[in-house]
Amino acid sequence: MTGTRLTGKPLVAIAAAVAAFAAVVGVVYRRVMYPPLPRSREDRIRIAAVGDSNTYGAGMLFRGRGRRSYPGRLEQLLGDGYQVLNYGVNRCTLQHEGDWPYDATPQATASLHAGADIVLVMLGSNDARGDNWNAERYETQLAAFVERYRTRGATVFLLTPPVAFPNRRGVHERIIADEVAPIVRAVASRLGVDLIDVFDVTRRSVTRHPDGIHLDARASAIVAEAVAEALVPPTAPPLATHPEG
């Protein structure tokens, strides 16, 4: 008895199905790596959240990322007078020489031209990945990165990256703790910009990330609350309580 060989129409149908599946995967991949650019509103105080996957919300991918990422939570906390524009991009480094530089993305250009009143910069976790790290280069380029937004009239806040744990993504948690976070603090002090120490907040409040790197919904809410408290003066009305889930 010989095996059945596929010929003609069945083979063509299988090839078409495989091609269609590959096309869908390609579309999903592009939307994950380069999400649609947010549209700014002129009737709100605009906050541009610039960063990597922890700004994008990779830890909540396909699970309400838009509202559960730290920028989404932040907009809920601040209320109707604010718009938080999420310019986070997965895998991105601050350093131009990194394996996925933020400056090479559409979000980098869009965030500069968004007319943001406030810019939140949280880049550095991926600079500690693999062979990307160069402390002197990171410090120099971080300062220049901040000045680009300040020259456009924005108030810039520098955020240290979240604490990292052992992981399989090649991100060195020691470099984040001992080099990246201290450099961000030093640059903020030298330039006279406000610092939000996300590393310290998460170090004290988070015991793990699901994959060692990415903020889950709870950790994103903690970060959003820390940012909101830094943005809103103590005399302002109380912030909204972040919703669960």
Side-chain angles (χ1 to χ4, degrees):
M1 181 176 180
T2 59
T4 302
R5 296 180 62 186
L6 292 175
T7 59
K9 291 183 179 180
L11 193 59
V12 171
I14 291 172
V18 170
F21 177 75
V24 170
V25 170
V27 169
V28 172
Y29 176 81
R30 286 192 296 273
R31 286 185 68 87
V32 169
M33 297 309 297
Y34 296 107
L37 297 172
R39 296 182 179 180
S40 62
R41 296 181 54 173
E42 296 194 2
D43 60 341
R44 300 285 191 273
I45 296 173
R46 284 165 286 182
I47 301 173
V50 173
D52 51 32
S53 53
N54 275 321
T55 297
Y56 170 81
M60 285 73 63
L61 191 61
F62 308 126
R63 291 176 293 171
R65 177 187 69 83
R67 60 184 176 81
R68 300 174 83 192
S69 62
Y70 107 72
R73 292 291 199 187
L74 178 62
E75 184 170 274
Q76 296 166 38
L77 289 169
L78 294 177
D80 292 339
Y82 294 82
Q83 181 188 24
V84 182
L85 303 160
N86 190 335
Y87 290 109
V89 186
N90 290 309
R91 293 185 58 84
C92 277
T93 65
L94 172 85
Q95 296 170 91
H96 307 153
E97 296 81 2
D99 55 5
W100 204 290
Y102 187 81
D103 270 350
T105 70
Q107 281 75 5
T109 301
S111 65
L112 272 174
H113 295 92
D117 304 286
I118 297 168
V119 177
L120 307 171
V121 176
M122 189 170 76
L123 284 163
S125 293
N126 293 307
D127 292 87
R129 184 181 64 235
D131 297 327
N132 287 331
W133 183 243
N134 181 299
E136 182 178 356
R137 189 170 64 202
Y138 176 81
E139 182 169 1
T140 299
Q141 293 184 16
L142 180 60
F145 193 83
V146 169
E147 292 299 348
R148 291 194 320 198
Y149 293 98
R150 293 217 295 185
T151 58
R152 292 176 176 269
T155 299
V156 177
F157 287 75
L158 271 177
L159 283 62
T160 52
V163 65
F165 300 99
N167 62 90
R168 298 182 178 180
R169 297 176 179 268
V171 175
H172 301 287
E173 61 268 27
R174 182 201 61 78
I175 292 178
I176 291 177
D178 297 343
E179 299 189 62
V180 179
I183 288 174
V184 174
R185 296 179 189 118
V187 170
S189 177
R190 175 159 56 86
L191 296 182
V193 302
D194 287 311
L195 172 76
I196 303 174
D197 203 335
V198 170
F199 179 89
D200 187 58
V201 169
T202 52
R203 180 184 59 80
R204 290 185 284 106
S205 306
V206 178
T207 58
R208 62 180 293 274
H209 302 310
D211 62 359
I213 296 297
H214 292 117
L215 302 170
D216 61 12
R218 174 181 173 273
S220 292
I222 290 170
V223 171
E225 288 168 359
V227 174
E229 289 174 4
L231 297 181
V232 178
T235 56
L239 294 169
T241 302
H242 71 76
E244 296 297 327

